[in-house]
Amino acid sequence: RRSVLGWPGSKMRCALLLSALLPIASGWRIPQTRRELLRDALATLAVTTALPKVAGAESIQERLNKFGLPPVEKAPNGYSTVLELYGRGGGDRQKLLVKFDRPSLWVLVKPSVDVNGEDGTLSTGDYQKGDNAALFVTGAPPNGAQSLSDKKFVSDVFAQAISQKSANIYENFKVTKVKPGVTDNGADYFLVDFQYDLLTGAGFVVARKGVGAITAIGKGTQAMVAATTEARYKKVEKDLRQVVESFRVYDGSSAAVARMYE
């Protein structure tokens, strides 16, 4: 059955629903009249019917093959593989190609790049629920790859990582476990379990638990740090571990990755 505008009634109803809900979810101005609602619905319908196909694991594999990089495992069902460049804005940032899997419904946030350089980091999460994972990059470890199994060094790196945003004030931070992970493309990865208390701006104390992966590529140390509230940890632990265990980093100074920056 078709509507008077020529679209199937079900599509138009979906567009109307989306145009009503998206402002609430995103902080946009909510339509005040039927005319505004119809206008926004038409725009929503045009966008949703013209969206390009999302690149899947196969296209990412083709991209890696193109630049002579090693293959990666296909993401499990319910996850999407992320393959992104870090350090595109020049400056002091280390150039890296970063790969990890994320739950398909989690939001992906990329660094912003403008004339002043690059700001922010790669992160993903279900932020309203407190689930998130983020890339953290710092200087080279003092003793090379040997430092990656040193709990004190790992603790220092992860403590810096959870305080990337200046508003994050924490206490009782503790790394509870550091264990060897995989060796991939000549790089060692170590897996980390940690916990801490987050002090919110409203004065509340929120217990959080997390997992991470750490490696040392090129002239830096790179970590993927994933955490959630202690109350949600058991529910989303599988997702957090999939993100960090699939984390891989490739040096941007290598000829293969450097071609991707061109």
Side-chain angles (χ1 to χ4, degrees):
R1 177 165 161 256
R2 302 180 73 83
S3 71
V4 294
L5 294 177
W7 289 292
S10 60
K11 285 189 178 181
M12 191 59 185
R13 285 195 296 271
C14 288
L16 287 166
L17 179 61
L18 282 172
S19 62
L21 292 179
L22 283 175
I24 298 173
S26 307
W28 300 344
R29 178 178 176 275
I30 298 175
Q32 301 296 316
T33 65
R34 291 180 63 185
R35 176 174 292 183
E36 289 182 351
L37 180 61
L38 181 59
R39 177 203 62 200
D40 293 350
L42 293 174
T44 301
L45 184 64
V47 171
T48 55
T49 54
L51 285 175
K53 294 179 68 176
V54 177
E58 182 178 0
S59 61
I60 286 178
Q61 192 60 65
E62 290 173 350
R63 192 177 176 194
L64 289 170
N65 291 340
K66 178 180 178 182
F67 293 100
L69 295 170
V72 295
E73 294 183 7
K74 182 179 179 181
N77 290 337
Y79 297 87
S80 301
T81 299
V82 176
L83 186 68
E84 291 291 339
L85 294 170
Y86 174 89
R88 295 171 298 161
D92 296 331
R93 283 200 166 188
Q94 184 182 10
K95 288 186 176 182
L96 302 167
L97 176 64
V98 181
K99 175 265 174 188
F100 59 91
D101 298 336
R102 65 178 174 92
S104 297
L105 295 179
W106 281 19
V107 174
L108 176 65
V109 180
K110 304 177 185 180
S112 60
V113 181
D114 58 23
V115 293
N116 297 314
E118 185 176 85
D119 185 51
T121 190
L122 273 171
S123 65
T124 184
D126 189 344
Y127 295 102
Q128 290 185 338
K129 297 177 181 177
D131 314 333
N132 64 278
L135 171 70
F136 179 70
V137 181
T138 188
N143 298 312
Q146 292 182 356
S147 297
L148 301 178
S149 59
D150 180 351
K151 187 176 284 190
K152 183 182 183 307
F153 172 75
V154 173
S155 296
D156 290 343
V157 171
F158 274 65
Q160 293 177 59
I162 66 170
S163 59
Q164 286 189 78
K165 294 183 178 180
S166 58
N168 287 355
I169 302 175
Y170 65 91
E171 62 182 10
N172 301 323
F173 176 83
K174 182 179 181 181
V175 168
T176 57
K177 184 186 296 185
V178 179
K179 66 177 184 179
V182 301
T183 298
D184 185 271
N185 200 34
D188 294 326
Y189 291 78
F190 283 76
L191 301 176
V192 181
D193 287 33
F194 63 94
Q195 60 191 38
Y196 65 100
D197 293 331
L198 177 67
L199 309 181
T200 69
F204 298 106
V205 178
V206 180
R208 290 178 64 81
K209 294 184 67 175
V211 295
I214 186 169
T215 190
I217 303 294
K219 298 181 179 180
T221 302
Q222 304 82 26
M224 179 60 69
V225 182
T228 187
T229 61
E230 186 177 50
R232 283 182 53 78
Y233 183 75
K234 288 185 178 180
K235 184 175 182 179
V236 298
E237 180 183 3
K238 177 183 175 183
D239 291 335
L240 300 179
R241 291 196 182 278
Q242 180 62 34
V243 173
V244 303
E245 290 176 6
S246 62
F247 174 59
R248 300 290 185 273
V249 183
Y250 306 98
D251 188 2
S253 65
S254 68
V257 179
R259 291 170 56 197
M260 302 183 74
Y261 280 84
E262 296 176 353

PDB file of all heavy atoms in Angstrom, residues 122-136:
ATOM      1  N   LEU A 122      41.059   7.815  18.882  1.00  0.00           N
ATOM      2  CA  LEU A 122      40.089   6.824  18.426  1.00  0.00           C
ATOM      3  C   LEU A 122      39.404   6.231  19.648  1.00  0.00           C
ATOM      4  O   LEU A 122      40.074   5.785  20.590  1.00  0.00           O
ATOM      5  CB  LEU A 122      40.803   5.705  17.659  1.00  0.00           C
ATOM      6  CG  LEU A 122      41.036   5.882  16.173  1.00  0.00           C
ATOM      7  CD1 LEU A 122      41.938   4.762  15.663  1.00  0.00           C
ATOM      8  CD2 LEU A 122      39.724   5.888  15.412  1.00  0.00           C
ATOM      9  N   SER A 123      38.095   6.209  19.637  1.00  0.00           N
ATOM     10  CA  SER A 123      37.372   5.611  20.750  1.00  0.00           C
ATOM     11  C   SER A 123      36.050   5.051  20.268  1.00  0.00           C
ATOM     12  O   SER A 123      35.561   5.405  19.195  1.00  0.00           O
ATOM     13  CB  SER A 123      37.125   6.636  21.861  1.00  0.00           C
ATOM     14  OG  SER A 123      36.276   7.673  21.417  1.00  0.00           O
ATOM     15  N   THR A 124      35.481   4.171  21.059  1.00  0.00           N
ATOM     16  CA  THR A 124      34.200   3.563  20.737  1.00  0.00           C
ATOM     17  C   THR A 124      33.481   3.248  22.031  1.00  0.00           C
ATOM     18  O   THR A 124      34.121   3.077  23.076  1.00  0.00           O
ATOM     19  CB  THR A 124      34.393   2.285  19.890  1.00  0.00           C
ATOM     20  OG1 THR A 124      33.109   1.764  19.516  1.00  0.00           O
ATOM     21  CG2 THR A 124      35.154   1.212  20.650  1.00  0.00           C
ATOM     22  N   GLY A 125      32.159   3.189  21.987  1.00  0.00           N
ATOM     23  CA  GLY A 125      31.458   2.862  23.215  1.00  0.00           C
ATOM     24  C   GLY A 125      29.960   3.007  23.126  1.00  0.00           C
ATOM     25  O   GLY A 125      29.404   3.520  22.158  1.00  0.00           O
ATOM     26  N   ASP A 126      29.323   2.520  24.152  1.00  0.00           N
ATOM     27  CA  ASP A 126      27.912   2.783  24.422  1.00  0.00           C
ATOM     28  C   ASP A 126      27.943   3.772  25.582  1.00  0.00           C
ATOM     29  O   ASP A 126      27.804   3.403  26.745  1.00  0.00           O
ATOM     30  CB  ASP A 126      27.191   1.483  24.794  1.00  0.00           C
ATOM     31  CG  ASP A 126      25.692   1.648  24.880  1.00  0.00           C
ATOM     32  OD1 ASP A 126      25.231   2.810  24.955  1.00  0.00           O
ATOM     33  OD2 ASP A 126      24.969   0.630  24.896  1.00  0.00           O
ATOM     34  N   TYR A 127      28.181   5.041  25.243  1.00  0.00           N
ATOM     35  CA  TYR A 127      28.589   6.026  26.226  1.00  0.00           C
ATOM     36  C   TYR A 127      27.525   6.312  27.279  1.00  0.00           C
ATOM     37  O   TYR A 127      27.859   6.585  28.438  1.00  0.00           O
ATOM     38  CB  TYR A 127      29.000   7.316  25.521  1.00  0.00           C
ATOM     39  CG  TYR A 127      30.226   7.137  24.660  1.00  0.00           C
ATOM     40  CD1 TYR A 127      30.122   7.011  23.275  1.00  0.00           C
ATOM     41  CD2 TYR A 127      31.492   7.076  25.224  1.00  0.00           C
ATOM     42  CE1 TYR A 127      31.244   6.826  22.484  1.00  0.00           C
ATOM     43  CE2 TYR A 127      32.628   6.898  24.445  1.00  0.00           C
ATOM     44  CZ  TYR A 127      32.497   6.769  23.066  1.00  0.00           C
ATOM     45  OH  TYR A 127      33.611   6.583  22.286  1.00  0.00           O
ATOM     46  N   GLN A 128      26.256   6.261  26.898  1.00  0.00           N
ATOM     47  CA  GLN A 128      25.202   6.531  27.868  1.00  0.00           C
ATOM     48  C   GLN A 128      25.197   5.517  29.005  1.00  0.00           C
ATOM     49  O   GLN A 128      24.792   5.817  30.118  1.00  0.00           O
ATOM     50  CB  GLN A 128      23.846   6.549  27.170  1.00  0.00           C
ATOM     51  CG  GLN A 128      23.640   7.753  26.262  1.00  0.00           C
ATOM     52  CD  GLN A 128      22.243   7.796  25.672  1.00  0.00           C
ATOM     53  OE1 GLN A 128      21.563   6.776  25.594  1.00  0.00           O
ATOM     54  NE2 GLN A 128      21.806   8.974  25.273  1.00  0.00           N
ATOM     55  N   LYS A 129      25.675   4.293  28.712  1.00  0.00           N
ATOM     56  CA  LYS A 129      25.695   3.247  29.725  1.00  0.00           C
ATOM     57  C   LYS A 129      27.038   3.150  30.437  1.00  0.00           C
ATOM     58  O   LYS A 129      27.200   2.335  31.349  1.00  0.00           O
ATOM     59  CB  LYS A 129      25.340   1.900  29.086  1.00  0.00           C
ATOM     60  CG  LYS A 129      23.929   1.860  28.514  1.00  0.00           C
ATOM     61  CD  LYS A 129      23.651   0.532  27.828  1.00  0.00           C
ATOM     62  CE  LYS A 129      22.235   0.522  27.235  1.00  0.00           C
ATOM     63  NZ  LYS A 129      21.970  -0.741  26.498  1.00  0.00           N
ATOM     64  N   GLY A 130      27.997   3.948  29.990  1.00  0.00           N
ATOM     65  CA  GLY A 130      29.302   3.949  30.646  1.00  0.00           C
ATOM     66  C   GLY A 130      30.293   2.958  30.085  1.00  0.00           C
ATOM     67  O   GLY A 130      31.364   2.755  30.668  1.00  0.00           O
ATOM     68  N   ASP A 131      29.961   2.321  28.935  1.00  0.00           N
ATOM     69  CA  ASP A 131      30.875   1.360  28.309  1.00  0.00           C
ATOM     70  C   ASP A 131      31.716   2.094  27.269  1.00  0.00           C
ATOM     71  O   ASP A 131      31.151   2.739  26.378  1.00  0.00           O
ATOM     72  CB  ASP A 131      30.099   0.241  27.599  1.00  0.00           C
ATOM     73  CG  ASP A 131      28.978  -0.326  28.458  1.00  0.00           C
ATOM     74  OD1 ASP A 131      29.079  -0.266  29.694  1.00  0.00           O
ATOM     75  OD2 ASP A 131      27.989  -0.836  27.881  1.00  0.00           O
ATOM     76  N   ASN A 132      33.023   1.993  27.342  1.00  0.00           N
ATOM     77  CA  ASN A 132      33.837   2.685  26.342  1.00  0.00           C
ATOM     78  C   ASN A 132      35.236   2.083  26.254  1.00  0.00           C
ATOM     79  O   ASN A 132      35.711   1.427  27.179  1.00  0.00           O
ATOM     80  CB  ASN A 132      33.942   4.177  26.657  1.00  0.00           C
ATOM     81  CG  ASN A 132      34.655   4.462  27.968  1.00  0.00           C
ATOM     82  OD1 ASN A 132      34.049   4.398  29.031  1.00  0.00           O
ATOM     83  ND2 ASN A 132      35.943   4.758  27.906  1.00  0.00           N
ATOM     84  N   ALA A 133      35.860   2.307  25.118  1.00  0.00           N
ATOM     85  CA  ALA A 133      37.244   1.888  24.877  1.00  0.00           C
ATOM     86  C   ALA A 133      37.924   2.991  24.080  1.00  0.00           C
ATOM     87  O   ALA A 133      37.310   3.593  23.198  1.00  0.00           O
ATOM     88  CB  ALA A 133      37.291   0.569  24.113  1.00  0.00           C
ATOM     89  N   ALA A 134      39.193   3.238  24.384  1.00  0.00           N
ATOM     90  CA  ALA A 134      39.892   4.327  23.710  1.00  0.00           C
ATOM     91  C   ALA A 134      41.364   3.994  23.518  1.00  0.00           C
ATOM     92  O   ALA A 134      41.976   3.309  24.342  1.00  0.00           O
ATOM     93  CB  ALA A 134      39.757   5.628  24.510  1.00  0.00           C
ATOM     94  N   LEU A 135      41.917   4.514  22.429  1.00  0.00           N
ATOM     95  CA  LEU A 135      43.340   4.380  22.149  1.00  0.00           C
ATOM     96  C   LEU A 135      44.115   5.417  22.951  1.00  0.00           C
ATOM     97  O   LEU A 135      43.714   6.577  23.048  1.00  0.00           O
ATOM     98  CB  LEU A 135      43.589   4.603  20.653  1.00  0.00           C
ATOM     99  CG  LEU A 135      45.048   4.712  20.200  1.00  0.00           C
ATOM    100  CD1 LEU A 135      45.747   3.367  20.315  1.00  0.00           C
ATOM    101  CD2 LEU A 135      45.123   5.247  18.769  1.00  0.00           C
ATOM    102  N   PHE A 136      45.249   4.987  23.510  1.00  0.00           N
ATOM    103  CA  PHE A 136      46.143   5.906  24.202  1.00  0.00           C
ATOM    104  C   PHE A 136      47.554   5.677  23.693  1.00  0.00           C
ATOM    105  O   PHE A 136      48.018   4.536  23.607  1.00  0.00           O
ATOM    106  CB  PHE A 136      46.102   5.684  25.716  1.00  0.00           C
ATOM    107  CG  PHE A 136      47.030   6.593  26.474  1.00  0.00           C
ATOM    108  CD1 PHE A 136      46.769   7.953  26.581  1.00  0.00           C
ATOM    109  CD2 PHE A 136      48.179   6.090  27.080  1.00  0.00           C
ATOM    110  CE1 PHE A 136      47.635   8.796  27.273  1.00  0.00           C
ATOM    111  CE2 PHE A 136      49.047   6.924  27.775  1.00  0.00           C
ATOM    112  CZ  PHE A 136      48.771   8.280  27.872  1.00  0.00           C
TER     113      PHE A 136
END
